[in-house]
Amino acid sequence: MRAATVARFGGPEAVEITELPVPVAGPGQVRIKVAAAALNPVDAAMRAGVFGSDGERIGLGWDVAGTIDAVGDGTDRSVGERVIGLATGHRTPLGTHAEYAVLDAHAVAAAPATLDDTHAAALPLNTLSALQALQMLALSPGQSLLVTGAAGGVGAHAVELAHHSGVKVTASASVGDQAFLLSRGADHFLPRGQAPVAAGFDGVLDAASVGRDALAAVRDGGTYIGLWPGQEPETERGIRIDALDVRADSAQLAELSHLAESGVVMARVAQTYPLDAAAAAHARLAEGGLRGRIVLVP
């Protein structure tokens, strides 16, 4: 089978399409015939060497949508089931940017019945990140949240999910994204780069990695959550500071799949590329300016 891998770090040109043996599902695992797999900033970070292991061939891709075509012992999944899944791990021989992918059964859930595979593939990493970050914030209905980078993949889902839970959301993004974010549940909009009137938010989800400027918006004793561990600002004023380390969770994926079916969560796809054009997809991602995911289709 074909898979997108890197054996040396660099720009988009480092991505290679290689021939690999079709993987085998072991105990507690399922093999998915990949129908679509989203491209995310973490894939670019892996390609560029942020997580190390230069010279060791590693696979790319975390998100996946497709159909189970083999199951290992001890799983309750069935061959023929249409699923979405998340393959976490920074230095694995095979990711989801391939014709087949093997995932632990606890990392997959039934795909949203109302979405095609291309849109379903855009959900797992970003929606799980948003949900788990909100759980870390632990805000109650009526409390206030500022989301930076609110028009991005994680940020937009955080706006949707926070609104759904009754949290009052202020979305920070470029002015052109205001109408979209208000339509997705934001109570207020703050143009990117403009500081809040006062440091009054109960929590901040810093999806744009603004850092200290985002921290300044949090009230004394509030909570700041970032998305890149190790890049958090130093704490001050009794603010609790943490960063997300996203994990696969089938129960949460099932919940998010249901929310996508009901329209609470919107899957956004900007462009699709064939798997063979993975390097070109990475180059497009590097250009920025996208609203929605790039999705590779084997």
Side-chain angles (χ1 to χ4, degrees):
M1 70 164 193
R2 297 169 300 149
T5 66
V6 292
R8 58 183 178 86
F9 295 141
E13 72 284 351
V15 179
E16 301 177 303
I17 301 300
T18 54
E19 292 286 337
L20 296 173
V22 174
V24 176
Q29 295 181 321
V30 300
R31 185 174 69 200
I32 299 169
K33 183 174 175 56
V34 178
L39 174 64
N40 290 287
V42 68
D43 297 305
M46 290 172 63
R47 182 206 75 222
V50 171
F51 304 108
S53 294
D54 195 14
E56 173 188 3
R57 186 169 297 280
I58 56 176
L60 301 173
W62 290 39
D63 286 318
V64 66
T67 302
I68 294 175
D69 84 321
V71 297
D73 294 336
T75 71
D76 57 1
R77 296 290 172 185
S78 303
V79 171
E81 185 179 1
R82 184 170 168 262
V83 294
I84 55 175
L86 181 68
T88 57
H90 300 108
R91 292 185 294 274
T92 56
L94 178 65
T96 63
H97 294 171
E99 293 179 306
Y100 291 88
V102 168
L103 275 67
D104 292 336
H106 67 72
V108 303
T114 54
L115 298 185
D116 60 25
D117 290 319
T118 301
H119 285 80
L123 291 174
L125 178 58
N126 288 328
T127 57
L128 280 172
S129 295
L131 178 62
Q132 292 172 15
L134 291 173
Q135 290 176 334
M136 294 172 72
L137 283 158
L139 299 177
S140 300
Q143 287 192 291
S144 60
L145 170 68
L146 172 65
V147 179
T148 71
V154 176
H157 291 315
V159 170
E160 295 169 329
L161 294 171
H163 171 73
H164 184 65
S165 69
V167 171
K168 299 302 180 183
V169 186
T170 296
S172 174
S174 64
V175 172
D177 295 309
Q178 180 174 357
F180 167 73
L181 290 166
L182 293 175
S183 75
R184 298 313 300 162
D187 297 280
H188 305 285
F189 179 80
L190 186 69
R192 183 173 57 203
Q194 180 176 317
V197 174
F201 289 97
D202 296 304
V204 168
L205 173 54
D206 190 12
S209 298
V210 175
R212 295 202 62 81
D213 287 345
L215 184 68
V218 184
R219 65 167 172 80
D220 294 358
T223 305
Y224 169 103
I225 300 296
L227 297 184
W228 292 88
Q231 297 185 12
E232 313 92 288
E234 293 293 325
T235 189
E236 60 181 50
R237 298 184 284 113
I239 296 171
R240 179 171 63 88
I241 293 181
D242 207 344
L244 174 71
D245 187 6
V246 67
R247 66 189 185 281
D249 185 305
S250 61
Q252 290 182 345
L253 268 178
E255 174 189 357
L256 292 162
S257 182
H258 173 72
L259 291 174
E261 289 180 346
S262 62
V264 172
V265 169
M266 176 188 290
R268 292 185 293 164
V269 174
Q271 288 182 245
T272 61
Y273 286 80
L275 177 62
D276 287 344
H282 275 254
R284 179 62 189 92
L285 179 66
E287 293 175 6
L290 293 171
R291 291 295 179 261
R293 299 270 61 80
I294 290 174
V295 178
L296 298 178
V297 180

